[in-house]
Amino acid sequence: MKRDEDMDARVAFQRLKPISTELMDRRNDAQGARKALVAMRDGLLQVPPDGLQVCHELVLFPLHLILEAVLARRMASEKGKEAPGFDDMRCAIHEGVAEEVYACYRAVLECTWCEGREALQQALARTAGVATVCQKSDSEIVRTLGLRCLSALILHLRNSPRSRDLHAYLCEQATAPALGHLLSIPVSYAKSEIHAGSKGSKSVLQIAWSTLQEWLEFVDDPDAIAFFVPGTASGLFLTLQRAGSLGPTTASAGGQAVVEAISALSTLLQVVLADAHCRSALEDLAIQQNAETGLDVVQQLNEIVKVGRQGAQKSAGGVTDLEECDMNKNSESTSLRCVRDRQWSSRTSQKLGDMAKQTVPVLLHHAQASVRGALIKLSTTVLCECTIAFSTCREVFVRCLLILFQDPSEAVARHAQKTLRATMFHSNPCLTTDKIVSSMLQKALTDLPPAGDPDPSCLEENLKLISSCMEALGPEPLISTFFASEDTRSQTLDLLSGCFCLEGNHRAALGTSWQAGHNESASRLQLLGTSFGHVSGISLFEVHQQPLPRFAQGMTYLSNASLYKYAATAVRLLGRAAAAIDRHGSELAGLLGCARRKVVFILEARGPGWQRDAASWFLLINELLYGASTVWNTNKGYGRSAPPDWMPATTDVLISQITQIMELYAQPELLNLPTASNEARGFGFREAADNCIMLRPLLEGVGIFAGCLGPYFADHDARLLPAAICPLVERVADASGLVADSAMISILAVCRHCGYKNPSEMLAKNADYIVDELCKQLREPSAYPQSCKLLTVVLRSQDDTSTMFPLVAEPVRLASLILTPTARQGSKAVSNHALTALLEAMKATVREGKKVQECIKLESEDLLVSADEENNAPVQAPISLDLADSNSESVKEFFNKYHQAKENETGDSVDSNLEACQDLLAKWRKRLENIAAILDTAVETVGPLFASASLSTKVLAMDCALETLYAAKFYDQAIDCIESLAERFTSDHTKDLDMPRRKLLPCLAQLWPDLVQSLNEGQGSSIEMSLRILLEMVLLSRGTFLARRWIQDAWPACLRLMDCGGHVESAGLLHADYLAVRQRKQDPVSALHVEKVQTHVLSMVDAIATGTSASKVLIPENLGKMVIDLLQYGTLPFSLHVQTQCINTLSKLALVDCAKVVSALKEAASSGEDCCSSAFHNKSASSSELQYISTGSNPDRRASVAKLVLSSLQGPISAQ
């Protein structure tokens, strides 16, 4: 063993001696000395530690010389003088040489150990000198190495075989000055970096505090360190104050430096003020020496607090100087020990607690999660290990844990939760955290706005505190303390609901829809009938992903989503606690019952802003139920995997409570409130906006309840969805975009949680409930003014009519009753809504009729194909004929039997085909009957409305009539398909099918008188619609129904429109007189309007002439008269555009019957010449008679027009 040590020493000596010698030789050569130092550092790390321990003086000798030279030159340079006695140590001037010297010295300390007390004194002196010199260097590396040397000294002591003896010696009173100096060096480093401001080094500051913590942990003697608490604490709190300041960036802004400072402070408190140390100090009353020193320490702490407060209030441009609080202030004292008695302990902890109250709250909002995590460690130390000393200021650190309970960082929040729960159930009887938490919760509730500070930062911290206190206390203490009686329950809910109040920002309440300004109700309604995707630029998938409950815009105090989240968490915890403490639901029922009574009182009183007051309670109720359900599954595990004390409510309890709440939400007087001022007579803009504010949480509550119950919400036995589906669908087309958004999001939430693929499926599976509710409301339109709008929404949302359409016949009939003359006098607004609903019903009927017609046509074609295949199959002869033995009788018998078998087979085929036709008709009869019923209702209702005094009503009625004609066309086409199929098989059995009657011709006959009256009396835009309906009637008509009626009723009305544009006061005037009156500006009808009407009439005639029904309506007798009448409009005084279009129209009429048109034109051309000649010779005739005949036409110009048209028809004439 001895031989091995000698060998190690020999190896170390041989390796390091040449380097030491070279270093001394090159002491005046900076580059050479640096290379030698680098070689020495490498050698120190490579030689055996035992060998280095033997010859470490060989290494330290040149290092000490260079260190002394560096120190002397630094001190001399500060005084502006030359360093005496170090002229041959010029390498010390170079900064790089100094860095390598410090690195070598650190390596020596780490690789060797202290051999005794004398060696300890030398090591302390050398290391303190090195650290002191390094602190004054401008190089960050040098300052870092100085601190590393202090850390290496700890390792130097721990490696010693006599480490315990050395530790005891270090803690003795005799070495207190040296220990104090060592502890002051890191503090001095930190203060220097802080005072340097933005030029300070964050890494040096971090290392300084980590070094201090290492020394505190190494010493771990309260008596040895107690005297130095003021100076150490001053530097620590200075760093923490700068970290929370709002001034320019300083070295203390480094997050890791703050973490190290907090850790060092925690270690300091743990060493000096731990319960075990304080208890022993308080019990040992015999120690009374140096009491004055203890008082001096308290005075120093007073100074710390005073200066610290000043520093916290100063701007970041100036840094507080706390040097006066250093331990050197007490240098005249004969002892560096203090008596740690009761007085010292209480005053010290009080002053440190006061400083913590100024520092900790600021650090709670530090940007780095590591800093907030370090605060948890500090709080744990104070609450669990320093309970006695900090008995009067535990609230600061309990509050710290409660705030961090809701930290954004999941790791920090989890650590805070674990720590707080540990303190709640700590075995120390002095630690009453539960009482502290209860008092904090009470104070935090009373500090909520509007009574408390509404500042967002203060409010956020208060809300975090409330939810954390609730969670920390647990369900039973929470309910028993704050909700034990009806009064306390009411007061607590009042305080919480105050946070959710909404402001009357009326313009925002009526704002835009769908995030991008898509406020068209048609786009929203289209979404109801589609699967999830993009419709009209609206992303339904994005809306579908919005979770409920959500942050409500326009809240007075909860101005952002973060604040709302914290407030909602507190209310949800309250609901969860009520559900957990009583599994039968009595506590939850008590909370919701109290909230429900508050709402009922508000609704009955209806004071100023009652809608906004009710909305705040609706938000509270939604959050209570959401928190009580299993769907609230936060990162704390309060969902289905919740611990036993936080279990959610059972499904039966939720169904019971939600049913009662839905009765409140589904009140017609709430759901029918108007959301636009133009929808309510005498209803102002502000009231409508307040209604929007209230309806949003009410509608979104339905989606929340669907999430709470899942598929149970759609259970027909519970009847929750049927009560809510109609208001939701109706509000999707609301005038307020924000209300429509809430309705749509709730519908999508219902689909998501109840298992519907899309809203269309939801409506289809609940069609019977929707129709029942519609019928109930339509029977009392005065009580339910929105019922017709609801019917409109339902009809618009159904692209697929197979499910909903069979049920809407009765609601459409009830809606038509609102359009009777007596009912229309009651409320014109409701009548317009009913007419709009009828229009949507006819559009749905068109879709249904088209679909039925296409399906019947396809099935008919399939039956025809099958029948043709059977008819073309070969017939098997019943007997075989042997031609060799056949005679005339046998051949005759064979053919007789053959023909008989053929006839039997044909008869069977006819019967089976007839049965197939009957099956086809029976399959579609019910849907055809539904179409027929709605057609009968529509055609009886809309015709009389053509004569309405309201232009909007008249136009809507005409639109409805047009859709009625289209639906009747598809209905008749479906009947034709079945009849043609039956006639294809046999004409004798058609009557056995009991075919439904056709509807197109009865519709035409019933609408015709009202249409003619509208043509004769119509004005404005109704004329265009009347002409359009007339055109569609002509194109759809069959047979000769319109042949006589056209020339008797319709054509005279069209000529009147050509003459006067439909103006009633001008109807009796001839065209020339009408022009004269208009020129005198006595007629309000403009020439542009007249020309527009003339263009519409001529365009209609063009369409009729080129249509498939032209030959049935424009029979030769009608055609000739039309040609003669139209010739006058191809001349002056009509505009050139009308003349040109008239000539084109005459040319198109020739396509119907060219001979008849040519004959009429020739007759007009010849009669025009004779009339013109006789008028020329009649000198006594007036100018009016010369210009116009009794029909109001110009014969000469009419003849010219006839010739012009004849010339354009030469091609067709020659071809004919």
Side-chain angles (χ1 to χ4, degrees):
M1 189 68 180
K2 180 67 173 176
R3 183 178 301 175
D4 294 338
E5 294 179 0
D6 293 341
M7 182 62 68
D8 293 340
R10 188 178 299 111
V11 172
F13 184 81
Q14 292 176 356
R15 179 68 182 271
L16 297 176
K17 182 181 178 180
I19 300 176
S20 299
T21 303
E22 183 181 1
L23 179 58
M24 291 301 297
D25 293 341
R26 295 179 177 270
R27 60 184 180 274
N28 293 321
D29 180 9
Q31 296 296 331
R34 186 174 185 181
K35 291 181 180 179
L37 288 170
V38 172
M40 178 177 287
R41 185 183 58 185
D42 296 338
L44 291 173
L45 299 177
Q46 295 175 3
V47 299
D50 294 337
L52 180 59
Q53 180 67 25
V54 174
C55 59
H56 68 280
E57 293 293 341
L58 177 67
V59 177
L60 290 176
F61 176 74
L63 294 179
H64 288 165
L65 291 178
I66 299 176
L67 286 172
E68 290 176 1
V70 172
L71 178 59
R73 290 185 183 280
R74 284 286 170 81
M75 296 177 64
S77 62
E78 291 177 0
K79 298 179 181 180
K81 300 178 181 180
E82 290 290 335
F86 293 95
D87 295 337
D88 60 344
M89 197 65 70
R90 287 190 294 272
C91 69
I93 302 175
H94 198 275
E95 193 72 22
V97 173
E99 292 179 10
E100 294 300 333
V101 170
Y102 302 143
C104 290
Y105 183 70
R106 176 190 175 188
V108 171
L109 291 176
E110 291 177 347
C111 298
T112 61
W113 55 84
C114 185
E115 296 179 342
R117 295 190 174 190
E118 183 178 353
L120 174 58
Q121 294 177 357
Q122 295 177 2
L124 290 175
R126 291 171 184 171
T127 307
V130 170
T132 303
V133 173
C134 293
Q135 179 184 351
K136 299 178 181 180
S137 175
D138 294 333
S139 172
E140 181 180 341
I141 299 176
V142 172
R143 299 199 302 273
T144 302
L145 287 172
L147 291 170
R148 295 299 187 191
C149 289
L150 286 179
S151 300
L153 181 59
I154 298 176
L155 185 60
H156 184 68
L157 297 176
R158 283 178 175 170
N159 291 336
S160 175
R162 302 175 57 188
S163 59
R164 290 189 179 183
D165 178 60
L166 296 176
H167 179 270
Y169 176 68
L170 185 63
C171 297
E172 290 180 0
Q173 187 172 354
T175 57
L179 178 60
H181 183 51
L182 281 177
L183 294 178
S184 68
I185 291 175
V187 176
S188 179
Y189 266 82
K191 290 180 179 179
S192 299
E193 300 299 330
I194 292 173
H195 284 287
S198 59
K199 297 181 180 180
S201 171
K202 298 178 182 179
S203 62
V204 172
L205 184 62
Q206 173 187 342
I207 297 171
W209 292 130
S210 64
T211 304
L212 176 63
Q213 182 180 0
E214 291 175 4
W215 272 101
L216 291 174
E217 291 175 348
F218 176 73
V219 175
D220 194 19
D221 189 318
D223 294 322
I225 298 178
F227 183 81
F228 310 109
V229 168
T232 306
S234 67
L236 289 169
F237 279 109
L238 181 62
T239 300
L240 299 182
Q241 289 169 3
R242 287 296 180 270
S245 65
L246 301 178
T249 303
T250 63
S252 60
Q256 194 59 36
V258 181
V259 170
E260 296 295 342
I262 296 174
S263 299
L265 178 61
S266 178
T267 303
L268 177 65
L269 299 179
Q270 187 175 6
V271 170
V272 179
L273 296 173
D275 290 344
H277 300 158
C278 290
R279 187 178 295 110
S280 61
L282 295 175
E283 291 174 355
D284 189 7
L285 301 179
I287 304 176
Q288 297 294 337
Q289 58 182 356
N290 297 328
E292 295 82 3
T293 307
L295 295 177
D296 290 341
V297 173
V298 175
Q299 294 174 2
Q300 292 175 24
L301 285 173
N302 288 328
E303 293 297 329
I304 292 174
V305 175
K306 180 179 178 180
V307 179
R309 288 175 179 171
Q310 295 174 355
Q313 296 173 357
K314 284 186 178 181
S315 63
V319 182
T320 305
D321 187 8
L322 299 180
E323 293 291 342
E324 60 179 353
C325 298
D326 198 82
M327 65 178 184
N328 295 329
K329 181 181 177 181
N330 234 13
S331 58
E332 71 275 8
S333 178
T334 59
S335 174
L336 297 181
R337 291 295 179 97
C338 59
V339 179
R340 296 185 304 105
D341 56 4
R342 187 187 303 273
Q343 185 180 14
W344 179 89
S345 178
S346 61
R347 291 189 178 183
T348 302
S349 60
Q350 180 181 356
K351 300 306 178 183
L352 292 175
D354 291 343
M355 299 176 71
K357 289 179 182 178
Q358 301 175 20
T359 307
V360 172
V362 181
L363 293 177
L364 286 174
H365 306 286
H366 198 278
Q368 294 196 16
S370 58
V371 174
R372 304 194 298 272
L375 289 176
I376 299 175
K377 179 183 177 182
L378 177 62
S379 301
T380 306
T381 301
V382 172
L383 294 175
C384 296
E385 301 183 27
C386 303
T387 309
I388 299 175
F390 290 93
S391 58
T392 60
C393 55
R394 296 176 196 156
E395 291 81 0
V396 179
F397 301 97
V398 173
R399 183 184 181 89
C400 173
L401 291 177
L402 290 170
I403 297 299
L404 296 178
F405 211 93
Q406 306 292 334
D407 194 82
S409 172
E410 184 177 351
V412 174
R414 190 182 300 110
H415 189 191
Q417 294 155 18
K418 182 179 179 181
T419 303
L420 185 60
R421 292 192 181 103
T423 61
M424 295 286 289
F425 302 101
H426 201 272
S427 58
N428 192 336
C430 299
L431 187 59
T432 56
T433 308
D434 52 345
K435 296 181 180 179
I436 297 174
V437 172
S438 297
S439 63
M440 283 187 174
L441 177 58
Q442 182 65 45
K443 186 179 185 303
L445 288 172
T446 56
D447 288 342
L448 286 175
D453 189 358
D455 181 68
S457 60
C458 297
L459 180 58
E460 179 178 352
E461 186 171 331
N462 207 22
L463 291 172
K464 285 183 180 181
L465 189 62
I466 290 174
S467 56
S468 300
C469 288
M470 288 181 175
E471 190 173 347
L473 285 175
E476 186 172 356
L478 176 62
I479 297 298
S480 61
T481 305
F482 297 94
F483 303 93
S485 64
E486 183 66 25
D487 292 338
T488 57
R489 184 184 297 120
S490 176
Q491 293 173 3
T492 306
L493 290 179
D494 283 336
L495 292 172
L496 288 172
S497 65
C499 291
F500 292 91
C501 65
L502 295 104
E503 58 188 8
N505 190 348
H506 303 101
R507 189 169 301 278
L510 295 173
T512 58
S513 163
W514 296 103
Q515 308 134 10
H518 295 278
N519 54 357
E520 300 87 355
S521 61
S523 298
R524 305 189 206 110
L525 293 172
Q526 190 178 2
L527 292 173
L528 292 179
T530 61
S531 58
F532 298 123
H534 285 77
V535 179
S536 300
I538 302 173
S539 175
L540 184 56
F541 178 79
E542 294 178 1
V543 179
H544 183 71
Q545 296 301 316
Q546 293 191 23
L548 291 176
R550 61 172 182 164
F551 167 62
Q553 297 287 344
M555 303 192 78
T556 305
Y557 305 113
L558 307 178
S559 56
N560 54 63
S562 177
L563 286 174
Y564 181 85
K565 181 188 73 172
Y566 294 126
T569 301
V571 179
R572 293 171 191 175
L573 282 170
L574 184 58
R576 178 60 60 86
I581 195 174
D582 185 1
R583 304 302 294 164
H584 298 288
S586 59
E587 289 293 340
L588 183 61
L591 282 176
L592 292 172
C594 181
R596 192 167 58 250
R597 287 189 292 273
K598 297 281 186 180
V599 174
V600 172
F601 177 79
I602 293 172
L603 297 181
E604 292 176 352
R606 297 213 171 193
W610 65 273
Q611 300 98 323
R612 285 177 274 125
D613 295 338
S616 64
W617 282 98
F618 288 149
L619 289 170
L620 184 72
I621 292 173
N622 294 344
E623 296 292 350
L624 279 173
L625 283 168
Y626 183 74
S629 67
T630 57
V631 73
W632 184 43
N633 188 11
T634 67
N635 58 355
K636 304 179 185 63
Y638 292 146
R640 294 177 176 83
S641 59
D645 56 341
W646 283 105
M647 287 298 291
T650 61
T651 302
D652 294 338
V653 171
L654 287 174
I655 291 176
S656 174
Q657 298 305 316
I658 289 176
T659 301
Q660 297 181 33
I661 297 299
M662 284 296 297
E663 293 176 359
L664 176 65
Y665 281 22
Q667 295 182 58
E669 54 268 24
L670 295 181
L671 296 175
N672 295 334
L673 288 173
T675 56
S677 56
N678 59 358
E679 289 188 8
R681 302 299 175 90
F683 202 77
F685 177 80
R686 295 181 179 274
E687 290 80 1
D690 285 343
N691 288 343
C692 294
I693 292 173
M694 185 191 66
L695 285 172
R696 294 194 68 193
L698 190 146
L699 295 173
E700 291 180 7
V702 177
I704 295 170
F705 301 156
C708 295
L709 294 178
Y712 292 101
F713 187 79
D715 189 359
H716 291 176
D717 295 335
R719 298 191 64 83
L720 293 174
L721 182 57
I725 190 171
C726 289
L728 288 178
V729 174
E730 175 188 343
R731 289 296 178 178
V732 169
D734 194 84
S736 169
L738 295 177
V739 174
D741 288 344
S742 297
M744 192 67 201
I745 292 173
S746 292
I747 288 177
L748 298 176
V750 171
C751 295
R752 182 168 63 250
H753 295 293
C754 297
Y756 299 118
K757 295 180 180 178
N758 48 54
S760 180
E761 182 183 356
M762 181 192 70
L763 296 179
K765 290 189 175 180
N766 295 275
D768 48 349
Y769 295 104
I770 297 175
V771 171
D772 288 345
E773 182 66 20
L774 277 172
C775 293
K776 172 188 173 182
Q777 295 185 11
L778 289 170
R779 290 188 182 97
E780 301 180 21
S782 58
Y784 299 94
Q786 307 292 330
S787 56
C788 292
K789 294 182 68 176
L790 175 59
L791 177 59
T792 302
V793 172
V794 171
L795 292 170
R796 283 181 182 176
S797 63
Q798 292 296 305
D799 290 337
D800 184 7
T801 58
S802 59
T803 304
M804 184 67 72
F805 188 82
L807 304 175
V808 299
E810 180 62 15
V812 171
R813 186 189 69 81
L814 293 173
S816 67
L817 297 179
I818 303 176
L819 297 172
T820 59
T822 304
R824 278 191 292 132
Q825 293 178 358
S827 176
K828 294 183 179 180
V830 176
S831 300
N832 288 336
H833 293 327
L835 188 55
T836 304
L838 186 59
L839 175 60
E840 292 301 327
M842 296 317 303
K843 290 180 179 179
T845 306
V846 171
R847 296 195 298 270
E848 174 73 359
K850 184 177 181 181
K851 183 176 181 179
V852 170
Q853 182 265 338
E854 290 175 352
C855 293
I856 291 177
K857 182 179 180 181
L858 290 176
E859 294 187 14
S860 300
E861 292 174 354
D862 292 340
L863 288 175
L864 287 174
V865 171
S866 300
D868 291 340
E869 291 177 353
E870 293 179 0
N871 293 334
N872 294 331
V875 179
Q876 298 294 332
I879 58 176
S880 59
L881 178 64
D882 188 1
L883 297 179
D885 299 333
S886 60
N887 51 28
S888 59
E889 293 296 332
S890 62
V891 171
K892 184 176 180 180
E893 182 181 359
F894 169 80
F895 281 106
N896 288 335
K897 292 181 178 181
Y898 176 82
H899 289 300
Q900 184 178 0
K902 183 68 176 177
E903 290 175 0
N904 293 336
E905 183 177 353
T906 304
D908 295 339
S909 175
V910 170
D911 293 339
S912 62
N913 291 330
L914 181 60
E915 183 178 355
C917 293
Q918 292 174 345
D919 293 341
L920 179 63
L921 181 60
K923 177 181 178 181
W924 296 99
R925 182 182 294 276
K926 183 63 178 178
R927 297 180 71 169
L928 290 171
E929 290 175 352
N930 291 330
I931 297 174
I934 296 179
L935 285 173
D936 293 339
T937 300
V939 78
E940 292 174 1
T941 304
V942 299
L945 296 178
F946 288 0
S948 173
S950 172
L951 182 61
S952 60
T953 301
K954 184 182 297 185
V955 172
L956 279 174
M958 291 181 178
D959 279 336
C960 189
L962 200 58
E963 297 295 334
T964 302
L965 294 177
Y966 293 150
K969 177 190 72 171
F970 289 119
Y971 178 87
D972 284 8
Q973 289 177 355
I975 301 299
D976 291 343
C977 289
I978 299 177
E979 286 190 352
S980 63
L981 180 66
E983 292 174 358
R984 169 69 174 77
F985 297 138
T986 174
S987 59
D988 297 335
H989 295 80
T990 305
K991 58 183 180 180
D992 297 335
L993 291 177
D994 188 19
M995 295 293 297
R997 295 183 179 181
R998 289 179 172 83
K999 289 294 179 182
L1000 181 59
L1001 187 58
C1003 289
L1004 293 174
Q1006 193 161 354
L1007 292 175
W1008 182 258
D1010 298 310
L1011 177 63
V1012 173
Q1013 183 181 359
S1014 175
L1015 286 171
N1016 289 323
E1017 300 178 357
Q1019 302 180 41
S1021 58
S1022 64
I1023 296 176
E1024 182 180 353
M1025 285 299 303
S1026 300
L1027 293 173
R1028 184 181 174 189
I1029 294 175
L1030 178 60
L1031 173 61
E1032 293 298 332
M1033 282 186 171
V1034 172
L1035 297 178
L1036 295 175
S1037 64
R1038 296 183 179 185
T1040 60
F1041 173 78
L1042 288 181
R1044 179 172 53 86
R1045 292 176 175 80
W1046 169 263
I1047 205 66
Q1048 291 180 354
D1049 301 332
W1051 184 243
C1054 292
L1055 292 178
R1056 174 188 166 278
L1057 293 176
M1058 291 287 292
D1059 286 339
C1060 61
H1063 194 249
V1064 177
E1065 296 178 0
S1066 308
L1069 298 176
L1070 297 178
H1071 191 266
D1073 298 331
Y1074 170 71
L1075 291 178
V1077 171
R1078 195 176 68 206
Q1079 289 174 358
R1080 293 195 299 269
K1081 298 183 179 179
Q1082 295 179 0
D1083 193 339
V1085 181
S1086 65
L1088 183 62
H1089 169 72
V1090 176
E1091 182 178 337
K1092 182 179 179 181
V1093 174
Q1094 293 166 349
T1095 303
H1096 286 315
V1097 174
L1098 294 174
S1099 298
M1100 181 198 68
V1101 176
D1102 290 348
I1104 293 174
T1106 56
T1108 56
S1109 302
S1111 59
K1112 298 177 182 179
V1113 177
L1114 303 180
I1115 57 179
E1117 295 79 3
N1118 296 345
L1119 193 61
K1121 186 176 186 323
M1122 290 178 62
V1123 170
I1124 297 300
D1125 292 335
L1126 286 175
L1127 285 174
Q1128 61 181 324
Y1129 302 105
T1131 65
L1132 293 175
F1134 294 98
S1135 67
L1136 180 61
H1137 175 71
V1138 174
Q1139 296 178 41
T1140 304
Q1141 189 170 0
C1142 180
I1143 294 173
N1144 292 334
T1145 301
L1146 290 170
S1147 301
K1148 290 183 180 179
L1149 287 175
L1151 300 176
V1152 181
D1153 190 341
C1154 187
K1156 183 64 179 176
V1157 171
V1158 170
S1159 174
L1161 290 173
K1162 288 181 178 180
E1163 181 181 356
S1166 61
S1167 63
E1169 293 176 357
D1170 296 338
C1171 183
C1172 182
S1173 175
S1174 61
F1176 178 79
H1177 292 288
N1178 187 3
K1179 302 296 182 180
S1180 61
S1182 64
S1183 60
S1184 175
E1185 290 174 343
L1186 287 173
Q1187 188 69 18
Y1188 293 97
I1189 60 176
S1190 59
T1191 59
S1193 61
N1194 186 328
D1196 183 33
R1197 290 173 179 170
R1198 187 177 62 179
S1200 300
V1201 173
K1203 293 178 181 179
L1204 180 61
V1205 176
L1206 284 172
S1207 63
S1208 65
L1209 295 177
Q1210 288 301 321
I1213 294 174
S1214 60
Q1216 187 175 5

